[in-house]
Amino acid sequence: MKCAIFDLDGTLLYTLEDLYNATNYTLNYFGYKERTLQEVRNFVGNGIAKLIERALGENYNKDEATKCLEIFRDYYSKYSQRNTKPYKGIVNLLEKLSIMGIKTAVNSNKYDCAVKELCQKYFNNLVLVAVGESESCPRKPDPTGVNTILEFLGCNRENAIYIGDSLVDIQTAKNAQIPCVSVTWGYCDVGVLKSNNNLIANNTDELLDLIINNINGL
């Protein structure tokens, strides 16, 4: 069994504008200064709680951060798909992997119910299992999500690969002891990715080649 495990935000789906809108709605709700799109871009990658903490600033109040998280989740659950869409070529890539017999999954730091909802809407049966942050699954770079997926799919880590757009994804793959491909169309600075990973994909054609060439036995 071969499998490709994908990050979601910035890798499969462009979600930045909806995250930006939810962040600023929350900040406005509590009287905080709004953040720019670029600032929110720099804040994502470590889960919604960390996004809120970063948006509030260094001297944030922990109790208020918890309240902000509740408001954010409520807003995002209602309006998470206004501007969200798959990146160019992603659906076609997943279809090709399916034809080749490579199972695909998603491991995200977004909260679990949102991960499952977004994967179901945009990818349907092309993604066989989607795992987000929950009480039973700590956020990345903890490898629990990857390990859960490998067990569910019956895939050995020697036959698996991870695909993401951030340093967190690189570390997650390292912790799970599987190779990682970094994509350049996401939310992390390309120079940072290239200085931390030698498997870099600039488009989905390059990504397909790297997946094929770096899964054991293909």
Side-chain angles (χ1 to χ4, degrees):
M1 180 73 70
K2 320 295 183 186
C3 68
I5 303 172
F6 291 85
D7 169 56
L8 187 61
D9 295 50
T11 302
L12 294 180
L13 289 179
Y14 173 76
T15 58
L16 183 59
E17 288 180 53
D18 287 326
L19 290 170
Y20 164 78
N21 290 335
T23 298
N24 280 333
Y25 175 85
T26 303
L27 293 174
N28 278 323
Y29 189 93
F30 288 95
Y32 284 88
K33 180 182 177 181
E34 288 190 2
R35 294 292 191 165
T36 67
L37 188 67
Q38 184 58 45
E39 284 178 316
V40 174
R41 181 189 185 108
N42 293 334
F43 295 158
V44 301
N46 296 91
I48 299 302
K50 185 59 68 174
L51 165 60
I52 292 298
E53 292 173 7
R54 289 167 175 165
L56 290 176
E58 294 182 0
N59 298 318
Y60 70 89
N61 179 283
K62 289 186 177 181
D63 290 337
E64 194 155 74
T66 299
K67 296 176 182 178
C68 285
L69 183 59
E70 294 176 359
I71 295 298
F72 180 100
R73 284 184 168 177
D74 181 66
Y75 181 93
Y76 191 72
S77 66
K78 297 175 182 176
Y79 306 112
S80 65
Q81 300 172 28
R82 284 184 167 178
N83 302 288
T84 290
K85 59 185 177 181
Y87 285 101
K88 181 181 179 181
I90 285 296
V91 172
N92 184 249
L93 170 70
L94 296 178
E95 289 172 343
K96 288 180 178 178
L97 292 174
S98 177
I99 291 171
M100 296 174 64
I102 300 174
K103 307 300 183 182
T104 56
V106 165
N107 177 213
S108 173
N109 270 346
K110 193 188 292 292
Y111 50 99
D112 189 66
C113 61
V115 174
K116 287 177 168 55
E117 180 181 349
L118 289 168
C119 286
Q120 177 63 32
K121 175 173 181 177
Y122 292 103
F123 308 120
N124 199 9
N125 60 349
L126 291 174
V127 171
L128 299 181
V129 56
V131 176
E133 182 184 5
S134 66
E135 290 184 2
S136 61
C137 184
R139 64 175 178 260
K140 301 179 294 185
D142 188 288
T144 298
V146 173
N147 294 335
T148 299
I149 289 167
L150 293 177
E151 182 178 359
F152 180 88
L153 294 178
C155 180
N156 295 323
R157 61 189 72 252
E158 292 81 9
N159 299 321
I161 193 166
Y162 198 96
I163 302 98
D165 72 308
S166 71
L167 293 179
V168 172
D169 295 313
I170 295 172
Q171 188 61 51
T172 301
K174 182 178 180 180
N175 291 344
Q177 300 178 331
I178 61 176
C180 178
V181 178
S182 296
V183 302
T184 60
W185 55 77
Y187 305 151
C188 186
D189 180 79
V190 176
V192 172
L193 293 175
K194 289 183 176 180
S195 65
N196 286 275
N197 193 5
N198 61 356
L199 298 178
I200 302 291
N202 298 296
N203 54 61
T204 53
D205 289 335
E206 291 182 4
L207 177 54
L208 179 61
D209 288 341
L210 286 170
I211 291 173
I212 292 172
N213 293 330
N214 287 278
I215 292 184
N216 185 45
L218 285 178

